[in-house]
């Protein structure tokens, strides 16, 4: 029965680089050939995968190449024991199997660690001890009385061993004995003079509850040889790292002699080390994990060298193996990434974030922390105190580029004993490479802006002419804000009755409508300033205000004169033979007026001129056609009327000689043509545009406007004008 937990490992091959995984299983030493050690499930669609066993440490033929079969769309790999497998926890209790899985172009390697466990129920004798020939040992006749000659290794604990065969003299110099630890002791009389003798010992092993087994030990006594086996080197201490895998070379011993063999005689059994019988190479047989096996730190070995054909000719060498801890793993920190954001008003000394780091190689050991800034490179806003990240300086976002993200790394270094990296290798038994092994924790701290200050502006006074046109720029309100960005200000005017407006973006004050100096000479406006985009919260705003004064200056003649009374009517009676003079005593009032004229573009003048000319030609032709028709009608109907009117005029007694002559107002001499009779409609007429005045004018309140003058005439008078 395999003593292991069911393990199904799904490997998703989504990476293109080679990486390593480690799996650990426990196997009972009672498992025989064909037993399944481990099953793996792989997903490799649409390729056909392969699973290989690259090598085994220590080298052995106990393991079959892995099998790979397809089952329900996935591939299942199995590791089994070979037909030669004879697991023995007392001999080798740990194996390392390197596996390679290939799926298309993706390659994955993994290490399978097999721990061989002692089977407490394994009570049968095994090995050469239980074979018909039994176990054969050779000792010299000069062996010291009552010294251990051999140790019988059997499974289980608490077994009782007894020698059941007869040991009667004179063949036996004295009885051999065996203790509960399986050690065979020499007779108390020694073996002097027993050379070339063979002693067969039947041993009964009892495990309790009626379970037992038997085996045989054969002791051959060898004569003392004239040659001497010896070690040329003295006792030495060897230092090795704890990360050596089982099967790694520790040292090699060499003894003088013919056909020399080697074995470890102390400690017996030797759980951590073994020695090659031929070349004397000492290797590890199990992991040297000091955290799990502190007693592996120091091991004192006694190696025996002897000639193969004369094993009584031997020598022993004592040396010590020291195992040092290795920093194979960097410190582990939780969380693995520090990412946070803090406002710029965070006080100095505030904890930004905390994290916890431990050293897997040495739990509870002291760690060293270093803070390295990346951006900005020389920031002093953050610091580390006792593994805690805190604010070290005032954070300020009110300067360009000041409010930004701080990227850094926290290097966590352990002080391993010794401080050796995972790449440290023992090139020689006494030569090691030591380095600090750090862990890196990325840090990202975002400093967020806070709207701390209200915008302000300085009161100002603007002056504007009364005749300024709409949209005229009067000036600008310069707002300032200590928060960054400093120009994130919106402007507005409190109240909307004044004819002014302020640009919400740049604070420029514009005129919206006409001004009247006579109505209001100055204006006081309250300009509101509201900031924005200066806080992490977009709804957080601050406001301020200032007062601006607008003075209207330079009174402009923008009103026409008014006459009092607004109209006057005077009736002139005409009598026969008499005349009446009209008073012309009102003095004209000259008022200067400056008018803004429009100067169009040349192309517009050309287009307007051509269009007007065509319109006038068409209108002239139409009026000419209309007048010709009207003239013909009047000529036919007015001839009798003219004759009758002429006779009436000639028969009238007396004539009307009275007339009123209006002042010419500096007009040029009018031609002596008879003027037709008209009624004046009140519109102003420019004397420079007409060669003579019309007769019988009915004047209302009159303002005669020229391009540069106003002319006031008496109101509502009937005039009879002659040239």
């Amino acid at each position: 029965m395999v003593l292991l937990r069911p393990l199904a490992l799904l490997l998703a091959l989504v990476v293109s680089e080679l990486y390593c995984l480690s799996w650990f299983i426990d196997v009972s030493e009672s498992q025989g050939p064909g037993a399944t050690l481990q099953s793996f499930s792989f997903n490799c669609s649409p390729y056909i995968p392969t699973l290989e066993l690259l090598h085994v440490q220590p080298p052995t033929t106990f393991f079959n190449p892995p099998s790979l079969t397809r089952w329900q769309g996935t591939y299942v790999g199995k590791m089994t024991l070979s037909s030669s497998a004879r697991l023995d926890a007392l001999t080798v209790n740990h194996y390392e199997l390197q596996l390679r899985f290939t799926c298309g172009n993706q390659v994955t390697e993994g290490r399978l660690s097999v721990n061989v466990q002692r089977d407490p129920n394994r009570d049968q004798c095994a090995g050469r001890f239980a074979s018909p020939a039994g176990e054969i040992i050779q000792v010299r006749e000069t062996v010291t009385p009552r010294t251990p000659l051999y140790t019988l290794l059997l499974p289980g604990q608490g077994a009782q061993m007894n020698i059941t065969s007869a040991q009667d003299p004179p063949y036996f110099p004295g009885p051999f004995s065996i203790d509960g630890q399986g050690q065979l002791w020499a007779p108390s009389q020694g073996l002097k003079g027993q050379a070339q003798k063979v002693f067969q010992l039947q041993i009964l092993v009892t495990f309790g509850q009626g379970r037992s087994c038997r085996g045989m030990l054969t002791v051959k006594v060898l004569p003392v040889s004239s040659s001497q086996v010896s070690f040329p080197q003295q006792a030495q201490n060897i230092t090795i790292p704890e990360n050596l895998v089982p099967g790694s070379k520790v040292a090699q011993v060499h003894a003088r002699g013919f056909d020399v063999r080697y074995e470890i005689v102390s400690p017996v059994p030797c759980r951590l080390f073994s020695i090659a019988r031929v070349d004397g190479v000492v290797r590890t047989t199990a992991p040297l994990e000091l955290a799990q096996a502190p007693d592996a730190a120091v091991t004192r070995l006694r190696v025996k060298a002897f000639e193969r054909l004369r094993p009584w000719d031997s020598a022993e060498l004592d040396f010590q193996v020291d195992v040092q801890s290795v920093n194979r793993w960097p410190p582990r920190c939780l969380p693995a990434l520090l990412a946070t954001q803090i406002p710029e008003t965070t006080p100095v000394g505030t904890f930004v974030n905390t994290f916890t780091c431990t050293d897997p190689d040495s739990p509870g050991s002291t760690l060293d922390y270093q803070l390295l800034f990346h951006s900005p490179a020389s920031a002093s806003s953050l610091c580390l105190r006792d593994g805690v990240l805190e604010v070290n300086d005032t954070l300020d976002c009110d300067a360009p580029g000041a409010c930004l993200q701080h990227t850094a790394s926290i290097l966590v270094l352990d002080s391993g004993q010794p401080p050796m990296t995972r790449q440290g290798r023992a090139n020689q038994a006494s030569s090691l490479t030591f380095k600090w092994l750090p862990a890196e924790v990325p840090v990202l701290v975002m400093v967020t802006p806070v709207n701390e200050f209200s915008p302000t502006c300085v009161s100002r006074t603007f002056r504007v002419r009364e005749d300024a046109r709409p949209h005229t720029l009067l000036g600008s309100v310069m707002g300032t804000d200590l928060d960054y960005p400093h120009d994130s200000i919106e402007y507005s005017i409190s109240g909307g009755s004044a004819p002014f407006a302020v640009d919400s973006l740049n604070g420029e004050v514009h005129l919206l409508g006409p001004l009247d100096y006579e109505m209001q000479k100055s204006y006081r406006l309250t300009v509101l300033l509201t900031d924005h985009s200066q806080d992490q919260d977009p709804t957080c705003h601050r406001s301020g205000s200032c007062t601006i004064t607008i003075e209207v200056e330079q009174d402009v003649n923008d009103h026409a004169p008014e006459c009092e009374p607004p109209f006057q009517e005077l009736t002139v009676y005409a009598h026969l033979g008499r005349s009446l003079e009209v008073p012309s005593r009102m003095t004209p009032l000259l008022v200067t007026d400056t008018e803004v004229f429009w100067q169009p573009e040349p192309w517009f003048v050309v287009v307007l001129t051509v269009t007007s000319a065509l319109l006038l030609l068409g209108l002239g032709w139409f009026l000419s056609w209309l007048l010709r028709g009207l003239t013909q009608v009047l000529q036919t109907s007015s001839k009798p009327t003219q004759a009758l009117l002429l006779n009436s005029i000639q028969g009238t007694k007396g004539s009307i000689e009275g007339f009123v002559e209006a002042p010419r107002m500096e007009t040029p001499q009018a031609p002596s043509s008879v003027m037709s009779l008209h009624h004046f409609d009140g519109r102003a007429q420019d004397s420079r545009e007409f060669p003579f005045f019309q007769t019988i004018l009915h004047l209302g309140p009159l303002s005669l406007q020229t391009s540069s003058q106003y002319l006031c005439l008496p109101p509502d008078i009937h005039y009879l004008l002659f040239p």
Side-chain angles (χ1 to χ4, degrees), residues 471-533:
H471 308 295
T472 300
L473 175 62
L474 305 183
S476 298
V477 178
M478 303 301 296
T480 58
D481 195 336
L482 296 180
D483 292 307
Y484 184 82
H486 306 298
D487 57 351
S488 297
I489 302 176
E490 292 184 355
Y491 302 85
S492 61
I493 293 180
S494 177
S497 59
F500 303 97
V502 61
D503 192 303
S504 62
L505 298 180
N506 53 29
E508 294 181 349
V509 181
H510 295 268
L511 177 65
L512 292 182
L515 301 174
D516 193 340
Y517 182 82
E518 289 75 17
M519 298 294 296
Q520 188 170 352
K521 296 181 177 60
S522 65
Y523 299 84
R524 290 179 63 85
L525 305 178
T526 300
V527 179
L528 299 180
L529 290 77
T530 304
D531 57 18
H532 62 87
S533 304

Side-chain angles (χ1 to χ4, degrees), residues 126-412:
R128 289 182 294 180
F129 171 72
S131 65
E135 182 74 30
I136 301 176
I137 61 174
Q138 296 177 338
V139 296
R140 290 179 297 174
E141 62 177 344
T142 58
V143 67
T144 304
R146 296 295 300 168
T147 58
L149 302 179
Y150 177 78
T151 300
L152 179 63
L153 299 179
L154 292 175
Q157 299 292 336
Q160 294 183 359
M161 304 179 192
N162 297 303
I163 300 176
T164 60
S165 59
Q167 302 185 61
D168 299 331
Y171 188 77
F172 280 84
F176 291 85
S177 62
I178 189 170
D179 59 17
Q181 302 299 324
Q183 288 187 332
L184 180 66
W185 296 81
S188 58
Q189 295 83 359
L191 297 176
K192 192 68 174 177
Q194 305 296 323
Q196 305 298 335
K197 283 188 177 183
V198 176
F199 303 97
Q200 289 186 344
L201 304 175
Q202 293 287 342
I203 299 176
L204 173 64
V205 182
T206 304
F207 298 98
Q209 298 180 357
R211 294 176 295 140
S212 62
C213 66
R214 293 179 179 273
M216 180 180 290
L217 282 178
T218 301
V219 181
K220 291 184 178 182
V221 182
L222 303 177
V224 178
S225 174
S226 58
S227 64
Q228 186 72 28
V229 176
S230 62
F231 288 96
Q233 67 266 36
Q234 299 297 323
Q236 57 181 346
N237 293 340
I238 300 174
T239 302
I240 60 174
E242 66 172 341
N243 62 342
L244 290 182
V245 298
S248 299
K249 179 179 178 181
V250 176
Q252 185 175 12
V253 296
H254 177 72
R256 298 189 182 97
F258 177 76
D259 198 8
V260 178
R261 297 293 184 264
Y262 304 90
E263 65 179 5
I264 296 177
V265 295
S266 178
V268 177
C270 187
R271 181 176 57 88
L272 301 177
F273 305 97
S274 64
I275 189 170
R277 291 179 62 85
V278 177
D279 57 11
V281 175
V282 179
R283 299 182 183 272
T284 60
T285 58
L288 306 177
E289 297 287 348
L290 295 180
Q292 300 176 4
D295 58 337
V298 178
T299 303
R300 293 180 175 85
L301 296 178
R302 176 175 293 177
V303 176
K304 176 182 178 182
F306 58 92
E307 292 186 358
R308 183 177 65 87
L309 298 179
R310 295 186 299 177
W312 59 87
D313 188 4
S314 63
E316 294 181 351
L317 175 67
D318 294 328
F319 62 92
Q320 178 175 305
V321 179
D322 297 326
V323 179
Q324 285 190 325
S325 62
V326 176
N327 265 345
R328 292 175 295 169
W329 308 106
R332 295 176 181 175
C333 300
L334 290 177
L337 170 66
L338 296 182
T340 185
Q341 63 180 18
I342 56 176
E344 62 171 326
T345 55
T346 303
V348 175
T350 302
F351 289 174
V352 176
N353 212 330
T354 60
F355 59 99
T356 304
C357 297
T358 58
D359 186 3
D361 297 308
S362 180
S365 62
T366 303
L367 301 177
D368 185 31
Y369 302 89
Q370 297 180 8
L371 181 61
L372 301 180
F373 282 96
H374 303 308
S375 175
S378 59
S380 59
S381 302
L382 304 175
C383 67
L384 272 176
R385 286 189 177 91
D386 299 329
V388 177
L389 186 65
E390 61 182 46
V391 178
N392 186 51
D393 198 359
T394 302
L395 303 175
D396 188 8
C397 291
D398 300 324
C403 195
L404 41 76
Q405 65 180 18
H406 296 267
T407 58
S409 295
I410 298 177
L411 294 183
V412 184

Side-chain angles (χ1 to χ4, degrees), residues 93 235 246 413 434 468 592 706:
N93 61 5
L413 303 99
F434 302 104
T592 303
T706 67

Side-chain angles (χ1 to χ4, degrees), residues 27-37 60-64 80-88 95 114 116 122 126:
V27 179
S28 173
E29 64 179 355
S30 63
Q31 294 302 309
T36 301
L37 300 179
T60 183
T61 59
F62 289 175
F63 303 96
N64 286 325
T80 59
L81 293 177
S82 67
S83 59
S84 62
R86 298 292 186 270
L87 299 180
D88 189 351
Y95 295 94
V114 180
V116 181
R122 188 180 184 184

Side-chain angles (χ1 to χ4, degrees), residues 6 19 56 67 120 251 301 305 308 340 396 400 417 538 569 575 581 611 661 679:
Y19 64 99
V56 179
S67 63
L301 296 178
R308 183 177 65 87
T340 185
D396 188 8
Q417 300 296 328
E569 183 176 1
H575 300 280
E581 294 184 358
T611 305
E661 182 176 1
H679 181 74

